PDB file of all heavy atoms in Angstrom:
ATOM      1  N   ALA A 208      68.837   1.868  17.975  1.00  0.00           N
ATOM      2  CA  ALA A 208      67.435   1.698  17.590  1.00  0.00           C
ATOM      3  C   ALA A 208      66.609   1.248  18.768  1.00  0.00           C
ATOM      4  O   ALA A 208      66.531   0.066  19.073  1.00  0.00           O
ATOM      5  CB  ALA A 208      67.306   0.681  16.447  1.00  0.00           C
ATOM      6  N   PRO A 209      66.001   2.217  19.490  1.00  0.00           N
ATOM      7  CA  PRO A 209      65.126   1.834  20.615  1.00  0.00           C
ATOM      8  C   PRO A 209      63.953   0.963  20.090  1.00  0.00           C
ATOM      9  O   PRO A 209      63.434   1.172  18.995  1.00  0.00           O
ATOM     10  CB  PRO A 209      64.608   3.175  21.115  1.00  0.00           C
ATOM     11  CG  PRO A 209      65.629   4.164  20.638  1.00  0.00           C
ATOM     12  CD  PRO A 209      66.111   3.653  19.339  1.00  0.00           C
ATOM     13  N   LEU A 210      63.572  -0.003  20.878  1.00  0.00           N
ATOM     14  CA  LEU A 210      62.510  -0.920  20.481  1.00  0.00           C
ATOM     15  C   LEU A 210      61.131  -0.242  20.614  1.00  0.00           C
ATOM     16  O   LEU A 210      60.918   0.626  21.451  1.00  0.00           O
ATOM     17  CB  LEU A 210      62.526  -2.178  21.337  1.00  0.00           C
ATOM     18  CG  LEU A 210      63.809  -3.030  21.235  1.00  0.00           C
ATOM     19  CD1 LEU A 210      63.733  -4.219  22.175  1.00  0.00           C
ATOM     20  CD2 LEU A 210      64.032  -3.491  19.801  1.00  0.00           C
ATOM     21  N   VAL A 211      60.231  -0.675  19.759  1.00  0.00           N
ATOM     22  CA  VAL A 211      58.845  -0.187  19.821  1.00  0.00           C
ATOM     23  C   VAL A 211      58.238  -0.541  21.170  1.00  0.00           C
ATOM     24  O   VAL A 211      58.386  -1.667  21.644  1.00  0.00           O
ATOM     25  CB  VAL A 211      58.008  -0.778  18.670  1.00  0.00           C
ATOM     26  CG1 VAL A 211      56.534  -0.486  18.879  1.00  0.00           C
ATOM     27  CG2 VAL A 211      58.469  -0.230  17.339  1.00  0.00           C
ATOM     28  N   SER A 212      57.563   0.421  21.769  1.00  0.00           N
ATOM     29  CA  SER A 212      56.872   0.182  23.043  1.00  0.00           C
ATOM     30  C   SER A 212      55.381   0.075  22.800  1.00  0.00           C
ATOM     31  O   SER A 212      54.715   1.090  22.554  1.00  0.00           O
ATOM     32  CB  SER A 212      57.183   1.320  24.022  1.00  0.00           C
ATOM     33  OG  SER A 212      56.340   1.224  25.167  1.00  0.00           O
ATOM     34  N   ILE A 213      54.836  -1.152  22.846  1.00  0.00           N
ATOM     35  CA  ILE A 213      53.412  -1.329  22.634  1.00  0.00           C
ATOM     36  C   ILE A 213      52.625  -0.653  23.743  1.00  0.00           C
ATOM     37  O   ILE A 213      51.567  -0.052  23.497  1.00  0.00           O
ATOM     38  CB  ILE A 213      53.066  -2.839  22.549  1.00  0.00           C
ATOM     39  CG1 ILE A 213      53.723  -3.492  21.301  1.00  0.00           C
ATOM     40  CG2 ILE A 213      51.565  -3.032  22.469  1.00  0.00           C
ATOM     41  CD1 ILE A 213      53.251  -2.892  19.989  1.00  0.00           C
ATOM     42  N   ILE A 214      53.111  -0.769  24.977  1.00  0.00           N
ATOM     43  CA  ILE A 214      52.432  -0.120  26.074  1.00  0.00           C
ATOM     44  C   ILE A 214      52.411   1.404  25.876  1.00  0.00           C
ATOM     45  O   ILE A 214      51.380   2.078  26.037  1.00  0.00           O
ATOM     46  CB  ILE A 214      53.120  -0.452  27.425  1.00  0.00           C
ATOM     47  CG1 ILE A 214      53.056  -1.944  27.690  1.00  0.00           C
ATOM     48  CG2 ILE A 214      52.485   0.351  28.559  1.00  0.00           C
ATOM     49  CD1 ILE A 214      51.651  -2.480  27.896  1.00  0.00           C
ATOM     50  N   GLY A 215      53.558   1.961  25.491  1.00  0.00           N
ATOM     51  CA  GLY A 215      53.638   3.401  25.226  1.00  0.00           C
ATOM     52  C   GLY A 215      52.748   3.809  24.070  1.00  0.00           C
ATOM     53  O   GLY A 215      52.088   4.857  24.107  1.00  0.00           O
ATOM     54  N   ALA A 216      52.721   2.948  23.042  1.00  0.00           N
ATOM     55  CA  ALA A 216      51.865   3.260  21.893  1.00  0.00           C
ATOM     56  C   ALA A 216      50.402   3.273  22.253  1.00  0.00           C
ATOM     57  O   ALA A 216      49.645   4.176  21.791  1.00  0.00           O
ATOM     58  CB  ALA A 216      52.121   2.262  20.764  1.00  0.00           C
ATOM     59  N   PHE A 217      49.985   2.351  23.089  1.00  0.00           N
ATOM     60  CA  PHE A 217      48.570   2.284  23.428  1.00  0.00           C
ATOM     61  C   PHE A 217      48.176   3.385  24.421  1.00  0.00           C
ATOM     62  O   PHE A 217      47.264   4.179  24.177  1.00  0.00           O
ATOM     63  CB  PHE A 217      48.217   0.919  24.037  1.00  0.00           C
ATOM     64  CG  PHE A 217      46.747   0.786  24.331  1.00  0.00           C
ATOM     65  CD1 PHE A 217      45.868   0.378  23.345  1.00  0.00           C
ATOM     66  CD2 PHE A 217      46.266   1.048  25.623  1.00  0.00           C
ATOM     67  CE1 PHE A 217      44.501   0.285  23.622  1.00  0.00           C
ATOM     68  CE2 PHE A 217      44.911   0.908  25.876  1.00  0.00           C
ATOM     69  CZ  PHE A 217      44.026   0.546  24.888  1.00  0.00           C
ATOM     70  N   PHE A 218      48.881   3.453  25.551  1.00  0.00           N
ATOM     71  CA  PHE A 218      48.438   4.341  26.624  1.00  0.00           C
ATOM     72  C   PHE A 218      48.703   5.809  26.310  1.00  0.00           C
ATOM     73  O   PHE A 218      47.881   6.676  26.648  1.00  0.00           O
ATOM     74  CB  PHE A 218      49.111   3.943  27.963  1.00  0.00           C
ATOM     75  CG  PHE A 218      48.457   2.744  28.582  1.00  0.00           C
ATOM     76  CD1 PHE A 218      48.949   1.471  28.347  1.00  0.00           C
ATOM     77  CD2 PHE A 218      47.363   2.891  29.401  1.00  0.00           C
ATOM     78  CE1 PHE A 218      48.346   0.373  28.912  1.00  0.00           C
ATOM     79  CE2 PHE A 218      46.759   1.803  30.004  1.00  0.00           C
ATOM     80  CZ  PHE A 218      47.247   0.535  29.732  1.00  0.00           C
ATOM     81  N   THR A 219      49.820   6.113  25.713  1.00  0.00           N
ATOM     82  CA  THR A 219      50.119   7.541  25.470  1.00  0.00           C
ATOM     83  C   THR A 219      50.001   7.896  24.006  1.00  0.00           C
ATOM     84  O   THR A 219      49.618   9.020  23.670  1.00  0.00           O
ATOM     85  CB  THR A 219      51.522   7.877  26.012  1.00  0.00           C
ATOM     86  OG1 THR A 219      52.492   6.914  25.568  1.00  0.00           O
ATOM     87  CG2 THR A 219      51.501   7.905  27.530  1.00  0.00           C
ATOM     88  N   GLY A 220      50.314   6.964  23.110  1.00  0.00           N
ATOM     89  CA  GLY A 220      50.026   7.173  21.696  1.00  0.00           C
ATOM     90  C   GLY A 220      48.550   7.321  21.492  1.00  0.00           C
ATOM     91  O   GLY A 220      48.063   8.151  20.678  1.00  0.00           O
ATOM     92  N   GLY A 221      47.767   6.539  22.249  1.00  0.00           N
ATOM     93  CA  GLY A 221      46.328   6.661  22.207  1.00  0.00           C
ATOM     94  C   GLY A 221      45.834   8.035  22.636  1.00  0.00           C
ATOM     95  O   GLY A 221      44.936   8.611  22.065  1.00  0.00           O
ATOM     96  N   VAL A 222      46.462   8.548  23.714  1.00  0.00           N
ATOM     97  CA  VAL A 222      46.089   9.851  24.201  1.00  0.00           C
ATOM     98  C   VAL A 222      46.463  10.929  23.189  1.00  0.00           C
ATOM     99  O   VAL A 222      45.728  11.902  22.991  1.00  0.00           O
ATOM    100  CB  VAL A 222      46.768  10.142  25.561  1.00  0.00           C
ATOM    101  CG1 VAL A 222      46.585  11.603  25.947  1.00  0.00           C
ATOM    102  CG2 VAL A 222      46.188   9.254  26.646  1.00  0.00           C
ATOM    103  N   ALA A 223      47.599  10.763  22.515  1.00  0.00           N
ATOM    104  CA  ALA A 223      47.964  11.725  21.443  1.00  0.00           C
ATOM    105  C   ALA A 223      46.847  11.698  20.356  1.00  0.00           C
ATOM    106  O   ALA A 223      46.474  12.763  19.845  1.00  0.00           O
ATOM    107  CB  ALA A 223      49.320  11.310  20.841  1.00  0.00           C
ATOM    108  N   GLY A 224      46.365  10.507  20.042  1.00  0.00           N
ATOM    109  CA  GLY A 224      45.271  10.443  19.079  1.00  0.00           C
ATOM    110  C   GLY A 224      44.007  11.113  19.580  1.00  0.00           C
ATOM    111  O   GLY A 224      43.315  11.796  18.830  1.00  0.00           O
ATOM    112  N   ILE A 225      43.734  10.970  20.858  1.00  0.00           N
ATOM    113  CA  ILE A 225      42.565  11.649  21.469  1.00  0.00           C
ATOM    114  C   ILE A 225      42.723  13.151  21.375  1.00  0.00           C
ATOM    115  O   ILE A 225      41.810  13.886  21.001  1.00  0.00           O
ATOM    116  CB  ILE A 225      42.382  11.182  22.917  1.00  0.00           C
ATOM    117  CG1 ILE A 225      41.945   9.728  22.973  1.00  0.00           C
ATOM    118  CG2 ILE A 225      41.367  12.045  23.627  1.00  0.00           C
ATOM    119  CD1 ILE A 225      41.883   9.118  24.345  1.00  0.00           C
ATOM    120  N   PHE A 226      43.919  13.623  21.710  1.00  0.00           N
ATOM    121  CA  PHE A 226      44.198  15.084  21.628  1.00  0.00           C
ATOM    122  C   PHE A 226      44.114  15.568  20.178  1.00  0.00           C
ATOM    123  O   PHE A 226      43.592  16.641  19.895  1.00  0.00           O
ATOM    124  CB  PHE A 226      45.575  15.390  22.221  1.00  0.00           C
ATOM    125  CG  PHE A 226      45.614  15.411  23.723  1.00  0.00           C
ATOM    126  CD1 PHE A 226      46.811  15.596  24.390  1.00  0.00           C
ATOM    127  CD2 PHE A 226      44.470  15.180  24.491  1.00  0.00           C
ATOM    128  CE1 PHE A 226      46.877  15.588  25.776  1.00  0.00           C
ATOM    129  CE2 PHE A 226      44.517  15.174  25.880  1.00  0.00           C
ATOM    130  CZ  PHE A 226      45.727  15.380  26.516  1.00  0.00           C
ATOM    131  N   GLY A 227      44.702  14.747  19.286  1.00  0.00           N
ATOM    132  CA  GLY A 227      44.674  15.135  17.858  1.00  0.00           C
ATOM    133  C   GLY A 227      43.271  15.207  17.329  1.00  0.00           C
ATOM    134  O   GLY A 227      42.953  16.105  16.541  1.00  0.00           O
ATOM    135  N   ASN A 228      42.421  14.287  17.744  1.00  0.00           N
ATOM    136  CA  ASN A 228      41.022  14.310  17.328  1.00  0.00           C
ATOM    137  C   ASN A 228      40.302  15.544  17.866  1.00  0.00           C
ATOM    138  O   ASN A 228      39.502  16.165  17.188  1.00  0.00           O
ATOM    139  CB  ASN A 228      40.304  13.035  17.744  1.00  0.00           C
ATOM    140  CG  ASN A 228      38.834  13.018  17.311  1.00  0.00           C
ATOM    141  OD1 ASN A 228      38.568  12.977  16.121  1.00  0.00           O
ATOM    142  ND2 ASN A 228      37.951  13.051  18.260  1.00  0.00           N
ATOM    143  N   ALA A 229      40.588  15.869  19.127  1.00  0.00           N
ATOM    144  CA  ALA A 229      39.948  17.035  19.729  1.00  0.00           C
ATOM    145  C   ALA A 229      40.282  18.309  18.995  1.00  0.00           C
ATOM    146  O   ALA A 229      39.485  19.248  18.932  1.00  0.00           O
ATOM    147  CB  ALA A 229      40.365  17.130  21.203  1.00  0.00           C
ATOM    148  N   ARG A 230      41.480  18.352  18.392  1.00  0.00           N
ATOM    149  CA  ARG A 230      41.917  19.554  17.704  1.00  0.00           C
ATOM    150  C   ARG A 230      41.727  19.476  16.198  1.00  0.00           C
ATOM    151  O   ARG A 230      41.533  20.488  15.540  1.00  0.00           O
ATOM    152  CB  ARG A 230      43.429  19.789  17.979  1.00  0.00           C
ATOM    153  CG  ARG A 230      43.815  19.994  19.424  1.00  0.00           C
ATOM    154  CD  ARG A 230      43.251  21.246  20.002  1.00  0.00           C
ATOM    155  NE  ARG A 230      43.722  22.405  19.281  1.00  0.00           N
ATOM    156  CZ  ARG A 230      43.347  23.652  19.507  1.00  0.00           C
ATOM    157  NH1 ARG A 230      42.484  23.891  20.452  1.00  0.00           N
ATOM    158  NH2 ARG A 230      43.806  24.654  18.791  1.00  0.00           N
ATOM    159  N   GLY A 231      41.780  18.246  15.639  1.00  0.00           N
ATOM    160  CA  GLY A 231      41.756  18.150  14.156  1.00  0.00           C
ATOM    161  C   GLY A 231      41.022  16.964  13.632  1.00  0.00           C
ATOM    162  O   GLY A 231      41.328  16.535  12.480  1.00  0.00           O
ATOM    163  N   GLY A 232      40.065  16.412  14.364  1.00  0.00           N
ATOM    164  CA  GLY A 232      39.272  15.306  13.844  1.00  0.00           C
ATOM    165  C   GLY A 232      40.054  14.038  13.573  1.00  0.00           C
ATOM    166  O   GLY A 232      41.142  13.825  14.110  1.00  0.00           O
TER     167      GLY A 232
END
Side-chain angles (χ1 to χ4, degrees):
L210 298 177
V211 169
S212 170
I213 295 297
I214 297 296
F217 183 84
F218 282 92
T219 48
V222 169
I225 291 173
F226 283 176
N228 180 65
R230 300 292 302 175

